[in-house]
Amino acid sequence: MDEEIGPAARQDQWKSYCKTVSLLAFQSFGVVYGDLSTSPLYVYKSSLSGRLNDYIDETTIFGLFSLIFWTLTLLPLLKYIVIVLSADDNGEGGTFALYSLLCRHAKFSLLPNQQSADEELSTYYQPGVGDPAISSPLKRFLEKHKKLRTCLLLIVLFGACMVIGDGVFTPTISVFSAISGLKDPAPGKIPDGWVVLISCAVLVGLFALQHRGTHRVAFMFAPIVVVWILTIGVIGLYNIIHWNPRICLALSPHYIVKFFKMTGKDGWLSLGGVLLAITGTEAMFADLGHFTAASIRLAFVGAIYPCLVLQYMGQAAFLSRNMSAVEDSFYQSVPRPLFWPVFVIATLAAVVASQSIISATWIYGQIYIPEINWILMVLCLAVTLGFRDTNVMGNAYGLACITVIFVTTWLMALVIIFVWNKHILLALLFLVVFGSMEGVYLSAAVIKVPQGGWVPIAFALVFMLVMYVWHYGTRRKYLFDLQNKVPMRWILTLGPSLGIMRVPGIGLIYTELVTGVPSIFSHFVTNLPAFHQVLVFVCVKSIPVPFVPADERYLIGRIGPREYRMYRCIVRYGYKDVQKDDDNFENHLVMSIAKFIQMEAEETASSGSYESSEGRMAVIHTEDTTGTGLVMRNSDDEAACTSLTRSSRSETLRSLQSIYEQESGGVSRRRRVRFQISEEDRIAPLVRDELSDLLEAKEAGVAYIIGHSYVKARKNSNFFKTFAINYAYSFLRKNCRGPAVALHIPHISLIEVGMIYYV
């Protein structure tokens, strides 16, 4: 019976899979391929500008097309579609995804608070992707030298910052090139100023749409790109047949050799324009998290690649017979009756082209970052108003694009060695084939730094400086905490009361330490000798994975003996996780601690001894509430209310809490629950007492204690360190969201402890 059902079930699964991939491929047109598909608007104009104007003839045009064809074939098709898309990080792509893979398979990470428990996450190692235990001389060499790992981080940051520059120039050149078509049907009647003004208006409208989210934007824009790509493909085919069918001969790389023999150095300089044909290629990898590798491959191979080849071939055929039309070859190659429909579609496609790289700056899914969105808009408007010329924009855009592609090639070579565990010769082959080709394009783009290429470099250096200063200051602050943490023997000498008054309630002490007790604790009790009866040291840390499953997010441990009622909770997030305002955090925490208490008691009973070793942590599955010894009920359940310990909050505090929640709409919607010890489970007396103390403390209230730190450089520090810490890092901290806001801590429950860090 199973044999009869098996093939039918597999066929249904295959149909469902094909339907899903096809739908995602359709959506990818609107988010991923807008930029790549609008490159024909300006590639030939940028390539044939400057000194190459003196060489315009059929051989030059054929050679230029041959360059474009083989560049499209080798880089987007062979490198990205065939190879790079396979190097995803749990479905995520981009520069940081490759770096994350390297950090997990080799000790390249500079994050100081990593734990061996992190490697047990289900998303840490991908099934069938290499063996991290395999070592090599090169791997040990890179792991040993911190300066090399720092250089790798700087290269990754530079590539990521160039992506931001890419996001500035993609909307600018795409929209400006499309709107420039207005000058073609009415020469002299549409001033350049109007083209700039209309372009700016379109850009403002584009960024205003971003709040609608990726999926809605994809469904709005995908049909536009599909119509656009089919239109330019058909027009290209028409131009091939109508103007010069001999252009098909230029598919041979022989014409590339003839091109460089004729043009020499001037031909090399024109490569800065040719590489504009592959702008938007990195979006295929950067936007991978929004789709799947299969859907992106299907869309590219099935429509994008053939239509682009036809368009570039047709435009070259037109230019070979109309060499005076270089300044506006795309629009002049369009048959006159179709000009206005094509212009409208081109303008809409240019808007979509801007979308691809903007989406890459979003967080996964439908959430966008307003600050990043509006900063990009301001920068796009500044570039449009400042440059007002497609060629200058192309110089800047090409340099940003090829730099990101070049960085990806080097990171990919390391992934082949350390993640895929392939032979180093295979990585060298990849590097030689693609790196040498991209190096030639990069050299041609760098020459044009004075003609606009300096702008993306300036953007990248500023953004990279901000990132590195933040990383440096945060790391120094962490090391200070690590070196000044409270010794456990000091806590043990204080006894269970810790030498202070233990008041009702739970105190959540936020720290970046994953072991030990932070100095903020001793600083607090020294100035205010009272603390809560239950103490939980909470560490919110980042893991080099895109996502941490919700059921594996919490690590719970104990600090000191059982009677101290001190615990540690480590909350783990991936680099793509969104730290949402979790209304149930306090409830999850109580349930997790209760489950840890039960697990610890079972282990003690089985082993016959009790150990309260510091650093002993356990992953608590929050989705599974069994084994906690607690029952959770809604607060309006009268039966539950009567069976619980009476709240020890004062009437004044309850009144203030009520007023605060009425004024704060978000807090008023929090789920109110009460806990009670299960009467059905057989619970040991010591465990029952500890659970009782935990519930009593929860009922009394939860307080959040965080450090309000002032970071200063030591007096004997050099000038650069003093400037980085006292001015740059201090400025960034003052202008960023505070920890209380970032962690969504209710203000009425917040206690801030001021501290000065001399690093």
Side-chain angles (χ1 to χ4, degrees):
M1 186 71 178
D2 292 338
E3 294 180 358
E4 296 177 1
I5 297 176
R10 284 196 297 270
Q11 187 176 9
D12 290 340
Q13 290 177 352
W14 173 250
K15 288 181 179 178
S16 177
Y17 171 77
C18 292
K19 183 179 179 180
T20 302
V21 170
S22 300
L23 181 61
L24 288 173
F26 174 75
Q27 292 182 19
S28 71
F29 282 107
V31 175
V32 177
Y33 290 114
D35 184 12
L36 196 61
S37 67
T38 53
S39 295
L41 287 169
Y42 44 79
V43 168
Y44 280 108
K45 178 184 177 182
S46 298
S47 302
L48 293 169
S49 62
R51 295 180 183 177
L52 207 62
N53 240 328
D54 301 331
Y55 300 92
I56 295 182
D57 59 16
E58 185 177 276
T59 303
T60 303
I61 300 297
F62 278 33
L64 201 58
F65 164 70
S66 189
L67 268 171
I68 293 171
F69 169 74
W70 285 105
T71 302
L72 272 174
T73 302
L74 292 176
L75 292 182
L77 181 60
L78 181 58
K79 177 189 165 184
Y80 276 87
I81 292 296
V82 176
I83 302 174
V84 174
L85 286 182
S86 301
D88 66 288
D89 182 11
N90 291 284
E92 292 296 323
T95 307
F96 273 121
L98 294 178
Y99 181 66
S100 174
L101 281 173
L102 290 171
C103 288
R104 300 206 302 272
H105 288 77
K107 297 176 182 178
F108 293 163
S109 177
L110 295 175
L111 294 176
N113 59 351
Q114 300 302 297
Q115 301 170 279
S116 57
D118 298 337
E119 300 182 17
E120 298 174 6
L121 287 168
S122 59
T123 55
Y124 203 87
Y125 296 120
Q126 294 175 256
V129 181
D131 183 0
I134 296 178
S135 185
S136 66
L138 178 60
K139 184 178 181 180
R140 291 192 295 270
F141 178 76
L142 292 175
E143 291 176 344
K144 182 180 178 182
H145 293 82
K146 183 181 176 182
K147 290 183 178 179
L148 293 176
R149 290 184 284 127
T150 303
C151 288
L152 178 62
L153 174 62
L154 290 175
I155 291 172
V156 171
L157 290 179
F158 188 72
C161 292
M162 275 296 190
V163 172
I164 299 176
D166 201 352
V168 172
F169 289 102
T170 298
T172 305
I173 193 171
S174 300
V175 172
F176 190 82
S177 298
I179 301 299
S180 296
L182 286 172
K183 294 188 291 186
D184 183 57
K189 293 183 181 180
I190 304 294
D192 290 342
W194 278 102
V195 173
V196 173
L197 183 62
I198 295 172
S199 299
C200 289
V202 172
L203 288 171
V204 171
L206 165 68
F207 282 95
L209 281 174
Q210 298 306 310
H211 71 281
R212 293 189 173 273
T214 305
H215 295 290
R216 291 185 181 180
V217 168
F219 271 114
M220 289 169 58
F221 286 168
I224 296 172
V225 176
V226 171
V227 172
W228 164 255
I229 200 71
L230 293 176
T231 299
I232 63 174
V234 171
I235 290 174
L237 182 61
Y238 166 80
N239 285 331
I240 293 169
I241 298 171
H242 180 73
W243 292 107
N244 192 352
R246 291 183 62 252
I247 189 64
C248 296
L249 298 174
L251 293 173
S252 169
H254 172 67
Y255 280 87
I256 297 177
V257 178
K258 294 175 67 176
F259 173 81
F260 283 114
K261 280 185 178 179
M262 180 186 301
T263 59
K265 180 183 177 181
D266 296 331
W268 166 64
L269 291 174
S270 71
L271 293 178
V274 174
L275 70 85
L276 294 177
I278 58 171
T279 54
T281 298
E282 186 66 23
M284 291 193 294
F285 191 42
D287 286 331
L288 183 59
H290 298 285
F291 305 99
T292 63
S295 61
I296 290 176
R297 285 171 172 143
L298 176 62
F300 185 83
V301 175
I304 299 295
Y305 178 75
C307 289
L308 282 179
V309 170
L310 286 174
Q311 167 55 214
Y312 284 119
M313 188 183 295
Q315 206 172 145
F318 170 80
L319 279 173
S320 67
R321 296 290 186 263
N322 301 272
M323 296 179 188
S324 61
V326 168
E327 277 301 310
D328 196 15
S329 60
F330 174 79
Y331 280 112
Q332 291 198 38
S333 68
V334 176
R336 290 299 91 183
L338 299 179
F339 175 84
W340 285 110
V342 171
F343 171 78
V344 172
I345 299 172
T347 303
L348 294 175
V351 172
V352 179
S354 310
Q355 182 64 43
S356 60
I357 201 67
I358 294 172
S359 294
T361 65
W362 296 357
I363 298 177
Y364 176 76
Q366 302 170 346
I367 300 171
Y368 91 118
I369 311 170
E371 294 85 353
I372 298 295
N373 186 63
W374 300 123
I375 289 172
L376 281 177
M377 186 192 75
V378 171
L379 292 176
C380 287
L381 294 177
V383 170
T384 303
L385 294 171
F387 282 172
R388 301 185 174 212
D389 181 33
T390 307
N391 291 332
V392 181
M393 292 178 187
N395 295 339
Y397 186 27
L399 180 59
C401 178
I402 195 63
T403 302
V404 177
I405 292 175
F406 194 56
V407 169
T408 299
T409 297
W410 282 90
L411 292 176
M412 191 64 208
L414 294 177
V415 168
I416 291 173
I417 300 173
F418 300 127
V419 180
W420 292 353
N421 293 329
K422 302 298 182 182
H423 199 280
I424 191 172
L425 292 179
L426 189 62
L428 287 175
L429 178 63
F430 178 87
L431 198 59
V432 169
V433 172
F434 298 110
S436 59
M437 182 179 177
E438 293 160 4
V440 173
Y441 279 113
L442 181 61
S443 65
V446 168
I447 292 296
K448 297 183 179 180
V449 166
Q451 291 84 41
W454 61 272
V455 177
I457 295 177
F459 283 161
L461 290 178
V462 170
F463 289 126
M464 188 171 71
L465 182 64
V466 170
M467 290 181 182
Y468 190 76
V469 166
W470 183 264
H471 171 80
Y472 176 76
T474 304
R475 182 178 173 82
R476 299 303 303 181
K477 179 177 175 292
Y478 175 84
L479 292 176
F480 179 91
D481 273 333
L482 192 63
Q483 295 164 3
N484 293 275
K485 61 184 180 181
V486 180
M488 182 56 64
R489 63 179 178 273
W490 178 76
I491 294 178
L492 294 176
T493 58
L494 298 177
S497 68
L498 300 178
I500 56 177
M501 178 71 68
R502 300 295 289 269
V503 298
I506 297 178
L508 303 183
I509 305 171
Y510 279 82
T511 173
E512 294 179 4
L513 297 178
V514 294
T515 59
V517 176
S519 56
I520 183 180
F521 175 73
S522 60
H523 185 73
F524 186 92
V525 298
T526 301
N527 292 276
L528 184 64
F531 230 111
H532 301 82
Q533 68 186 90
V534 174
L535 297 179
V536 184
F537 293 89
V538 180
C539 173
V540 180
K541 61 179 287 190
S542 296
I543 309 293
V545 296
F547 307 102
V548 175
D551 208 33
E552 302 176 43
R553 194 175 301 284
Y554 292 89
L555 273 176
I556 302 294
R558 186 189 294 280
I559 298 177
R562 178 181 286 130
E563 58 269 20
Y564 280 52
R565 304 297 192 252
M566 295 171 63
Y567 310 93
R568 184 183 307 283
C569 173
I570 298 177
V571 188
R572 303 178 292 183
Y573 288 95
Y575 60 83
K576 281 279 189 175
D577 274 323
V578 182
Q579 297 186 26
K580 296 181 180 179
D581 185 2
D582 190 351
D583 295 345
N584 297 318
F585 172 69
E586 295 176 7
N587 302 329
H588 281 317
L589 183 63
V590 170
M591 296 294 282
S592 299
I593 293 175
K595 195 167 187 177
F596 171 79
I597 293 170
Q598 291 277 60
M599 290 170 59
E600 187 184 57
E602 291 173 3
E603 291 178 6
T604 302
S606 61
S607 63
S609 62
Y610 171 73
E611 296 180 3
S612 58
S613 58
E614 165 66 6
R616 180 185 178 188
M617 308 290 292
V619 178
I620 304 298
H621 300 288
T622 56
E623 301 296 326
D624 182 12
T625 59
T626 60
T628 61
L630 300 181
V631 177
M632 185 169 62
R633 304 182 187 278
N634 292 328
S635 62
D636 55 358
D637 189 332
E638 294 182 1
C641 293
T642 56
S643 63
L644 286 171
T645 307
R646 184 179 180 274
S647 173
S648 58
R649 295 183 187 178
S650 67
E651 291 296 331
T652 303
L653 183 59
R654 283 200 290 262
S655 176
L656 288 173
Q657 179 80 21
S658 177
I659 294 172
Y660 175 77
E661 292 182 356
Q662 288 176 6
E663 293 179 352
S664 177
V667 178
S668 63
R669 291 191 298 270
R670 288 180 181 270
R671 183 189 177 195
R672 297 181 174 280
V673 298
R674 292 180 182 271
F675 297 93
Q676 68 182 93
I677 299 175
S678 174
E679 299 297 335
E680 298 178 2
D681 298 337
R682 296 181 61 185
I683 302 175
L686 284 177
V687 175
R688 181 176 291 274
D689 290 343
E690 190 169 3
L691 292 177
S692 256
D693 289 346
L694 179 64
L695 297 191
E696 183 181 347
K698 171 64 171 68
E699 192 64 20
V702 179
Y704 297 78
I705 298 99
I706 65 171
H708 189 79
S709 55
Y710 298 89
V711 184
K712 300 289 183 183
R714 293 175 181 172
K715 292 183 178 180
N716 60 348
S717 301
N718 58 47
F719 170 78
F720 294 104
K721 180 179 178 181
T722 302
F723 178 81
I725 296 296
N726 291 358
Y727 298 98
Y729 184 64
S730 176
F731 175 80
L732 292 176
R733 282 175 61 86
K734 289 178 181 178
N735 290 275
C736 290
R737 291 189 178 100
V741 178
L743 297 170
H744 309 287
I745 296 174
H747 293 293
I748 196 170
S749 305
L750 175 64
I751 301 173
E752 291 188 292
V753 182
M755 284 193 65
I756 298 179
Y757 288 71
Y758 288 102
V759 299

